[in-house]
């Protein structure tokens, strides 16, 4: 299973400053054991030239092999964040869906946004207009509305190594599929998606929380789904064997991310 990127709103992307892969650097290398048996996450220098640090996975001491299955919530993007009107810094992430089939995390389960809305009984989604259609209103479509407080901004500054944990390692993952010169090619989108499926093993996914209905009912009688955090989810199986070196984990940013970087003059 390949998880599609959620960041698919070009207008919103141009309204915020996307994260440059070399912009975040921990004060020191760090290792974080996972709840998965025999697996350790680490932040260390990326194998991509000029990319700063990256996110790596390796076998824990004494383990012979391990497999991280597709669809596993590997880590969080950041620990502390706020939803704001305008992006500040270089790690902002907009909460915007143009497709109700995008994957989200709700109550610990990965599912399409449509099922999250229909199954939870929610009548609204933070920052979006929700329309139901079809037999029993089972169909759901979503469109970002005029709400401005939809941009997640992590705490400013690089977190010190002593504060890094599983909830904040995701901001170090680089996109391993992009290469210089790709944007000028005729079939750039196809080449990128093909390379990403082969090189990247993580996708960004929003975790949602259901707020109870407001007193008095009205349009929010079924409650509202709101964003709680961004997590990195494995988009394919990752197998580790004894004797192998640590594996750098790539994250699918999407080609639009790189196009915006080029427009902003951030690509050399």
């Amino acid at each position: 299973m390949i998880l599609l990127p959620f960041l698919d709103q070009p207008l919103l992307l141009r309204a915020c400053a996307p994260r440059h892969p070399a912009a975040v650097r921990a004060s020191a290398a760090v290792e974080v054991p996972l709840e998965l048996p025999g697996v350790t996450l680490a932040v260390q220098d990326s194998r991509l030239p000029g990319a700063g640090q990256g996110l790596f996975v390796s076998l824990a001491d004494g383990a012979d092999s391990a497999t991280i299955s597709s669809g596993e919530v590997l880590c969080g993007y950041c620990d502390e964040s706020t939803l704001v009107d305008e992006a500040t810094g270089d790690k902002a992430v907009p909460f915007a869906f143009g497709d109700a089939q995008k994957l989200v995390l709700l109550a610990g389960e990965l599912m399409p946004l449509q099922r999250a809305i229909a199954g939870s009984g929610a009548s609204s989604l933070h920052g979006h207009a929700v329309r139901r259609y079809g037999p029993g209103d089972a169909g759901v479509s979503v469109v970002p509305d005029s709400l401005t407080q939809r941009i997640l901004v992590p705490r400013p500054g690089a977190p010190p190594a002593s504060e890094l944990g599983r909830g904040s390692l995701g901001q170090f993952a680089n996109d391993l599929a992009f290469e210089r010169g790709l944007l000028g090619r005729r079939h750039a989108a196809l080449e990128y998606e093909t390379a990403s499926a082969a090189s990247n093993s993580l996708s960004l996914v929003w975790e949602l929380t259901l707020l109870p209905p407001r007193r008095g009912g009205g349009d929010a009688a079924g409650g509202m789904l709101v964003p709680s955090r961004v997590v990195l989810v494995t988009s394919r199986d990752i197998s580790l064997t004894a004797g192998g070196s640590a594996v750098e984990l790539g994250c699918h940013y999407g080609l639009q991310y790189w196009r915006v970087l080029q427009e902003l003059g951030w690509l050399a």
Side-chain angles (χ1 to χ4, degrees):
M1 176 176 65
I2 298 298
L3 308 184
L4 300 179
F6 73 95
L7 210 56
D8 62 347
Q9 298 298 308
L11 294 179
L12 283 168
L13 276 171
R14 294 192 178 97
C16 70
R19 182 177 76 81
H20 190 276
V24 185
R25 186 170 185 87
S27 57
V30 62
E31 290 189 356
V32 177
L34 295 184
E35 296 173 2
L36 303 171
V39 178
T40 298
L41 281 179
V43 174
Q44 58 192 56
D45 289 339
S46 174
R47 291 170 182 162
L48 288 178
Q53 290 175 305
L55 181 63
F56 289 75
V57 65
S58 62
L59 286 177
D61 291 342
D64 294 325
S65 64
T67 297
I68 306 174
S69 300
S70 174
E72 184 77 37
V73 178
L74 197 67
C75 61
Y77 179 68
C78 60
D79 277 326
E80 299 181 25
S81 63
T82 55
L83 288 177
V84 298
D85 296 345
E86 296 182 0
T88 56
D90 55 9
K91 295 177 286 182
V93 180
F95 180 72
F97 295 90
D99 181 356
Q101 296 307 310
K102 293 293 181 181
L103 292 175
V104 297
L105 187 68
L106 179 63
E109 183 180 355
L110 201 62
M111 65 185 72
L113 177 60
Q114 175 175 337
R115 183 155 71 89
I117 295 174
S120 67
S123 56
S124 57
L125 174 68
H126 176 86
H128 294 75
V130 177
R131 185 177 71 87
R132 293 178 178 272
Y133 60 90
D137 287 338
V140 175
S141 65
V142 295
V143 178
D145 60 21
S146 59
L147 181 70
T148 52
Q149 288 186 322
R150 66 165 75 249
I151 301 175
L152 179 146
V153 176
R155 182 181 64 178
S162 60
E163 296 183 12
L164 283 174
R166 189 176 180 183
S168 58
L169 293 180
Q171 59 192 295
F172 294 95
N174 293 307
D175 187 341
L176 303 182
F178 183 78
E179 60 181 36
R180 296 293 188 267
L182 176 63
L183 295 177
R185 299 173 191 168
R186 180 179 179 183
H187 301 295
L190 177 60
E191 288 187 40
Y192 173 81
E193 293 299 330
T194 301
S196 185
S199 302
N200 291 325
S201 52
L202 300 173
S203 292
L204 293 165
V205 174
W206 278 97
E207 182 173 17
L208 306 181
T209 300
L210 179 64
L211 295 184
R214 293 182 300 183
R215 185 172 299 177
D219 291 340
M224 174 184 285
L225 286 172
V226 299
S228 60
R229 63 171 181 157
V230 176
V231 298
L232 274 72
V233 176
T234 53
S235 54
R236 57 187 173 89
D237 292 350
I238 302 170
S239 296
L240 304 170
T241 56
S245 58
V247 176
E248 183 167 9
L249 300 176
C251 183
H252 184 118
Y253 287 7
L255 193 63
Q256 181 63 26
Y257 169 92
W258 295 104
R259 285 177 173 148
V260 173
L261 282 188
Q262 185 177 60
E263 290 177 10
L264 295 174
W266 288 16
L267 287 181

